[in-house]
Amino acid sequence: MKYLSGLLLFTLSTLAFQLTAKQNYALVIVANTQNEDISITRRDVRNLFMGGVIKHELHAVILPPENETRVVFNTKVVGLTESRIQSYWAQMRFSGRKKEPREMVNEEQLIEYLKMNEGSIAYLSAQSTIPSELTVLLTIE
Amino acid sequence: MKILLLKYINTFSFLTLLLFSHSALCNPVNEKLEFSGFARVVLGYLDESDATYLGYDDNLSLSQQSLIAIQADYQILDNLSLTGQVIGHSGKERDSGVEWLYLTYNPNRFSQIKVGRQRTPFFNYSDVIDVGFSYPWITLPQQVYSSVFFSTFDGILAGYEWNVNGVVINAEAFWGSFNGDVVASGNEVDANINDLQGAILSLTYDNFNFRTAYHRTDAFIGLDNLDEFRNILDFSGFTQSAESLSADGEIEFFQIGASYENLDYFVRTEITNIKAESLVVPTIDSFFIAAGYNFFPYTSYISYGKTNSSYGDPINEIPLGINDQLNALSFGYDLVFSQLPYDSSESITIGTRWDWKSNIAIKVEATWIQTEQGSTANFAVLNPEFDRKAPLYQLALEWVF
């Protein structure tokens, strides 16, 4: 019984620590754009990364499912679990409506892609070093 | 013999696709050509010996809903692509082969035009009915989804999407036709669906989605067993009675669907109505409501579905009491209407989906189906004593690649 209570306490404290860590994990939305006056909202970002249109012509690039920044993005911006997002994209792809954003292996490759492709947009950890060629459009605390 | 042959063809198609998918996935393809696909293996057991349901009986079966499909997308130009999809079904009621073959033209980032063979987007999941990975259930609520009996059409679909104050609005319209065999109430009949038209409006605001659709068609459905009797009525001068037995005419489909979901739970509902001009094609009112709780990587859900079908009033012009032949004709006419398949059923489903990998899900599901005496509701009755209630248990592996 004592062992079980200890295990429960450990699990809960680990979970609480992870949740706090996720809540404190800030994100930046960066884009390769000539127009530095673009104003973009969290809702615009959600729509764009779920394949919807917004006022600005930007194409989303994403990180792989296991990436921590992606998990935080799903939680704070999309508001859906990874599995629901995967099933949504299966519905979009196999109904011929939309295709999921291009996926990069890691943040380094993602930054390289952003630098090379005008009009691309992605989320990164606020801790990342953002190259001068890219514009930070939004910070999500 | 035909069924046996179809079974062999289906098994052969299934194995061919499995081999092809393996080779497609193992071979690199160039940037313009992209392969993807989906597969499902569904194990089902109906705890009932007096009837079968969707082909399931009281033996474990893998062969009713298992399938594999390969999709190839070829980018011809920046704004023009060709998509093809071949599908292999294990179930004998569904044809294997080319499900899709169409060109997509994107004049700009707001609009899309597709020309060719496409899936018919009647309701929310009609165009992904085979992609089990895209929805929580193993078997979609049959009260809504068994009423539409053709899955593809040949024609043109145009879509336009825009954003108004954060609401993403998507409008689609299509026009086309379908010719071929369809399975209705367990019988394979020849159908000629001309002038199929539809319009769909979808609104998305954050995690809330609303969809409404209207479709209509002029259908010519071959009911061979009625044609002979119709000819006799027509020849005898009872033209209105004869005409009332024709399955041809306009069919209209209405749909309203809404969903809300967040990190913790989801709620989805869909209400549909199918209205037929013909007196021997039923008018069907259906709905389902589902709610689920996410505890990643699991989702548990419960859903309830209900459907009710009805027919128009018969037009019996045949006078009674004049002679035996006319009496028999009148009795025969009434008998036809009394024996039309009547589908009034409800079901409750509970299940859990486990997203084991980002592209593989395992699901377990139990459905309790109940229908009234005299109603078919996808049951094939083996014993007239059947009490019209049965539980269906299913286990599925869903895969997208």
Side-chain angles (χ1 to χ4, degrees):
Chain A
M1 192 63 198
K2 201 175 167 184
Y3 170 75
L4 276 177
S5 322
L7 188 68
L8 187 67
L9 195 67
F10 174 75
T11 311
L12 286 174
S13 54
T14 312
L15 198 66
F17 174 75
Q18 284 176 347
L19 284 172
T20 316
K22 292 260 189 308
Q23 276 160 8
N24 293 336
Y25 194 117
L27 298 173
V28 284
I29 308 299
V30 295
N32 177 342
T33 173
Q34 299 294 315
N35 180 2
E36 294 189 359
D37 298 327
I38 288 182
S39 93
I40 199 166
T41 64
R42 186 190 291 233
R43 183 166 290 131
D44 287 334
V45 175
R46 184 199 186 279
N47 283 338
L48 196 59
F49 281 80
M50 293 300 278
V53 295
I54 65 164
K55 190 167 58 179
H56 310 291
E57 187 168 2
L58 295 164
H59 71 270
V61 194
I62 56 171
L63 288 163
E66 64 279 6
N67 183 283
E68 195 181 6
T69 308
R70 171 159 164 164
V71 176
V72 176
F73 180 79
N74 291 346
T75 310
K76 290 190 169 184
V77 179
V78 182
L80 296 174
T81 59
E82 178 62 36
S83 49
R84 176 61 192 120
I85 293 169
Q86 293 287 349
S87 69
Y88 167 83
W89 283 117
Q91 181 172 9
M92 289 300 119
R93 169 178 277 270
F94 296 114
S95 62
R97 288 193 168 81
K98 291 164 183 175
K99 280 185 188 167
E100 58 273 46
R102 186 185 279 252
E103 190 178 298
M104 296 293 142
V105 176
N106 52 39
E107 299 205 2
E108 290 73 34
Q109 200 193 77
L110 181 79
I111 290 171
E112 281 310 305
Y113 181 89
L114 289 172
K115 281 159 63 178
M116 304 284 287
N117 291 275
E118 194 177 343
S120 55
I121 181 169
Y123 48 80
L124 286 169
S125 159
Q127 307 292 318
S128 310
T129 309
I130 312 296
S132 58
E133 300 96 309
L134 304 180
T135 308
V136 175
L137 299 180
L138 189 69
T139 300
I140 293 162
E141 297 295 342
Chain B
M1 182 65 195
K2 193 182 168 192
I3 289 171
L4 199 68
L5 195 65
L6 278 171
K7 201 171 171 180
Y8 280 124
I9 291 169
N10 280 340
T11 310
F12 176 74
S13 313
F14 195 82
L15 289 173
T16 309
L17 278 169
L18 203 63
L19 288 170
F20 177 71
S21 74
H22 179 74
S23 107
L25 290 169
C26 294
N27 287 322
V29 288
N30 69 46
E31 278 218 339
K32 287 189 163 189
L33 183 62
E34 200 177 80
F35 284 104
S36 55
F38 52 90
R40 64 188 323 215
V41 178
V42 183
L43 181 69
Y45 172 80
L46 185 78
D47 192 11
E48 175 61 61
S49 56
D50 292 339
T52 65
Y53 181 76
L54 298 174
Y56 290 110
D57 58 19
D58 58 350
N59 291 301
L60 281 172
S61 171
L62 274 173
S63 60
Q64 303 310 323
Q65 295 189 83
S66 301
L67 59 89
I68 185 163
I70 308 290
Q71 182 169 313
D73 293 277
Y74 184 70
Q75 201 69 39
I76 302 163
L77 300 167
D78 280 351
N79 57 0
L80 186 70
S81 62
L82 179 68
T83 301
Q85 191 186 92
V86 280
I87 193 160
H89 287 279
S90 62
K92 64 178 187 289
E93 288 198 347
R94 296 286 304 276
D95 288 337
S96 297
V98 177
E99 189 82 355
W100 273 11
L101 190 61
Y102 62 80
L103 276 169
T104 305
Y105 172 59
N106 293 92
N108 52 53
R109 67 194 177 96
F110 303 103
S111 41
Q112 188 179 58
I113 297 165
K114 294 194 282 188
V115 182
R117 172 162 297 177
Q118 306 163 58
R119 280 208 181 83
T120 323
F122 284 116
F123 307 145
N124 263 355
Y125 300 103
S126 300
D127 48 9
V128 283
I129 213 158
D130 295 321
V131 192
F133 189 85
S134 67
Y135 47 78
W137 307 268
I138 292 178
T139 300
L140 283 164
Q142 289 301 292
Q143 281 69 28
V144 168
Y145 282 91
S146 72
S147 49
V148 179
F149 48 66
F150 58 99
S151 63
T152 59
F153 73 99
D154 296 320
I156 182 164
L157 183 146
Y160 189 80
E161 187 168 290
W162 68 105
N163 187 315
V164 181
N165 298 328
V167 182
V168 177
I169 305 168
N170 188 296
E172 286 179 339
F174 70 92
W175 175 80
S177 63
F178 169 86
N179 295 311
D181 289 341
V182 295
V183 176
S185 304
N187 300 314
E188 203 167 86
V189 294
D190 182 43
N192 198 339
I193 308 293
N194 284 339
D195 209 12
L196 171 67
Q197 299 150 4
I200 303 143
L201 182 72
S202 163
L203 308 177
T204 305
Y205 183 70
D206 290 345
N207 293 356
F208 177 80
N209 178 264
F210 171 82
R211 181 192 193 270
T212 187
Y214 171 75
H215 314 278
R216 65 153 306 282
T217 182
D218 295 317
F220 298 90
I221 301 167
L223 294 177
D224 295 343
N225 48 348
L226 281 184
D227 282 351
E228 203 175 320
F229 188 59
R230 269 185 64 203
N231 289 339
I232 295 169
L233 288 172
D234 206 25
F235 184 73
S236 310
F238 305 117
T239 49
Q240 283 191 52
S241 294
E243 186 58 30
S244 71
L245 293 180
S246 166
D248 301 343
E250 185 182 50
I251 303 178
E252 294 174 289
F253 304 79
F254 304 89
Q255 182 261 4
I256 292 177
S259 70
Y260 176 77
E261 53 194 333
N262 62 25
L263 287 165
D264 299 318
Y265 66 90
F266 71 81
V267 186
R268 296 176 197 186
T269 187
E270 221 172 328
I271 302 165
T272 60
N273 167 260
I274 302 174
K275 202 153 61 179
E277 189 182 7
S278 161
L279 295 181
V280 292
V281 175
T283 288
I284 306 169
D285 288 300
S286 312
F287 81 93
F288 79 79
I289 182 159
Y293 178 68
N294 301 321
F295 47 117
F296 186 77
Y298 305 97
T299 302
S300 284
Y301 54 89
I302 181 163
S303 80
Y304 173 77
K306 189 172 170 63
T307 186
N308 190 39
S309 68
S310 58
Y311 294 91
D313 293 330
I315 305 169
N316 190 343
E317 303 171 288
I318 312 146
L320 275 171
I322 293 177
N323 62 43
D324 288 348
Q325 284 84 356
L326 287 177
N327 288 349
L329 213 54
S330 179
F331 176 72
Y333 181 88
D334 289 340
L335 192 67
V336 168
F337 273 87
S338 68
Q339 291 194 338
L340 287 172
Y342 169 60
D343 184 357
S344 177
S345 72
E346 55 189 335
S347 72
I348 291 178
T349 299
I350 57 167
T352 294
R353 170 183 173 136
W354 170 30
D355 281 88
W356 176 39
K357 305 273 179 195
S358 62
N359 65 335
I360 299 173
I362 293 165
K363 299 175 187 170
V364 57
E365 185 174 282
T367 304
W368 288 268
I369 312 117
Q370 181 172 329
T371 179
E372 293 167 11
Q373 204 65 30
S375 168
T376 49
N378 294 317
F379 280 118
V381 178
L382 305 173
N383 178 355
E385 300 294 307
F386 173 47
D387 64 0
R388 299 317 204 253
K389 290 177 194 170
L392 172 68
Y393 303 107
Q394 289 173 291
L395 180 70
L397 176 82
E398 311 277 11
W399 179 37
V400 290
F401 48 91

